[in-house]
C-alpha cells in the first residue's frame, strides 16, 4: 500500500513513516520495513510520537487488537524485539488515537473508549508500571479523546469527540479536584 499517515524524525535524523503497510525507516537512501515479523503487533501503523529520551512511539487503532508500542532508541541487538507493548507497561487496552509528548519525556495518550493516560518515564521495574490513567474529571474518562496538545504553560488541551475542547492544568490533573475547563467558540 502507498498510504503514508505520519512522518516522524528520529533522534538520529532518520525519518520514520507510519503506513498502511507497516513501519518504514529511511536513512541515507536506505529504507527498512518493520512488520509483524520484527515484533510490530499489527500490520499497519497510523500514529507516531517521539519523547524527549528519543524513544519513538507507534500506534494503530484499526488493528485487532489495537496497539501502542515504544521503540527504545538505544536498541542495538537486531535479534531482540525492538518494540515494547504499552499494555505490558500498564496502559489499558484502548484504541489509541491521540498522543502528546511532554518536556519531561512522558507521553499523554488519549483514545477510545474515552480514557486519558500518562506514561511516566521515571517509573520502571519493581516500583510499578509507567502508565497511569486519569480518574477525573468526567470529560477525561468517557467517549473518544482523539486530540491532545501540551502547551508551554503546562496546560493539556483535550479535544473530545462530541463534547468539544477542554484545557486541563497539569498542576491539578492527579488531584481529586482536577479541573477541565470547557473552551467555548468551537462549534460543529
Amino acid at each position: 500500500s502507498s498510504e503514508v499517515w505520519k512522518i516522524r524524525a528520529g533522534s538520529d535524523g532518520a525519518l520514520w513513516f507510519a503506513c498502511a503497510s507497516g513501519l518504514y525507516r529511511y536513512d541515507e537512501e536506505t529504507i527498512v520495513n518493520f512488520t509483524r515479523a520484527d515484533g510490530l503487533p499489527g500490520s499497519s501503523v497510523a500514529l507516531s510520537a517521539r519523547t524527549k529520551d528519543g524513544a519513538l512511539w507507534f500506534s494503530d487503532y484499526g488493528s485487532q487488537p489495537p496497539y501502542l508500542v515504544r521503540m527504545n532508541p538505544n536498541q542495538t541487538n537486531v535479534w531482540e524485539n525492538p518494540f515494547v507493548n504499552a499494555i505490558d507497561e500498564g496502559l489499558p487496552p484502548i484504541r489509541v488515537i491521540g498522543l502528546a509528548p511532554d518536556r519531561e519525556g512522558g507521553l499523554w495518550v488519549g483514545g477510545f473508549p474515552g480514557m486519558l493516560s500518562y506514561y511516566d518515564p521515571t517509573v520502571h521495574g519493581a516500583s510499578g508500571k509507567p502508565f497511569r490513567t486519569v480518574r477525573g474529571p468526567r470529560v477525561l474518562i468517557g467517549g473518544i479523546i482523539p486530540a491532545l496538545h501540551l502547551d508551554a504553560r503546562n496546560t493539556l488541551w483535550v479535544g473530545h469527540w462530541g463534547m468539544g475542547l477542554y484545557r486541563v492544568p497539569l498542576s491539578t490533573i492527579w488531584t481529586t479536584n482536577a479541573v477541565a475547563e470547557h473552551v467555548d467558540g468551537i462549534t460543529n
Side-chain angles (χ1 to χ4, degrees):
S1 173
S2 59
E3 295 176 24
V4 178
W5 293 325
K6 293 288 181 185
I7 301 171
R8 180 81 48 206
S11 57
D12 62 354
L15 293 178
W16 292 84
F17 303 97
C19 302
S21 58
L23 178 64
Y24 294 82
R25 181 182 187 272
Y26 172 81
D27 182 22
E28 301 295 325
E29 306 300 322
T30 302
I31 294 180
V32 177
N33 177 225
F34 291 84
T35 64
R36 286 181 188 261
D38 302 299
L40 196 63
S43 58
S44 64
V45 179
L47 299 172
S48 65
R50 186 176 89 185
T51 47
K52 182 181 173 182
D53 64 354
L56 292 161
W57 296 79
F58 302 104
S59 170
D60 185 40
Y61 46 84
S63 292
Q64 292 300 326
Y67 69 87
L68 173 66
V69 293
R70 177 175 49 86
M71 188 175 205
N72 184 340
N74 301 318
Q75 177 77 25
T76 56
N77 185 342
V78 296
W79 302 110
E80 291 180 12
N81 181 352
F83 303 102
V84 176
N85 196 318
I87 289 176
D88 296 337
E89 295 190 320
L91 181 70
I94 63 171
R95 294 186 184 284
V96 174
I97 53 179
L99 299 171
D102 69 12
R103 291 185 296 261
E104 288 76 40
L107 183 70
W108 290 95
V109 177
F112 175 77
M115 191 171 292
L116 181 64
S117 294
Y118 179 69
Y119 173 82
D120 183 344
T122 65
V123 178
H124 281 287
S127 62
K129 295 189 176 191
F131 270 100
R132 59 184 172 161
T133 299
V134 174
R135 301 288 177 217
R138 185 183 71 78
V139 70
L140 301 179
I141 55 174
I144 301 173
I145 301 175
L148 299 169
H149 174 75
L150 187 62
D151 70 18
R153 294 186 179 131
N154 229 20
T155 299
L156 185 64
W157 293 78
V158 179
H160 195 292
W161 191 357
M163 295 180 73
L165 179 64
Y166 292 81
R167 57 181 164 214
V168 182
L170 291 186
S171 60
T172 70
I173 202 162
W174 301 112
T175 66
T176 56
N177 59 346
V179 175
E181 177 190 353
H182 187 261
V183 179
D184 292 325
I186 297 179
T187 60
N188 290 337

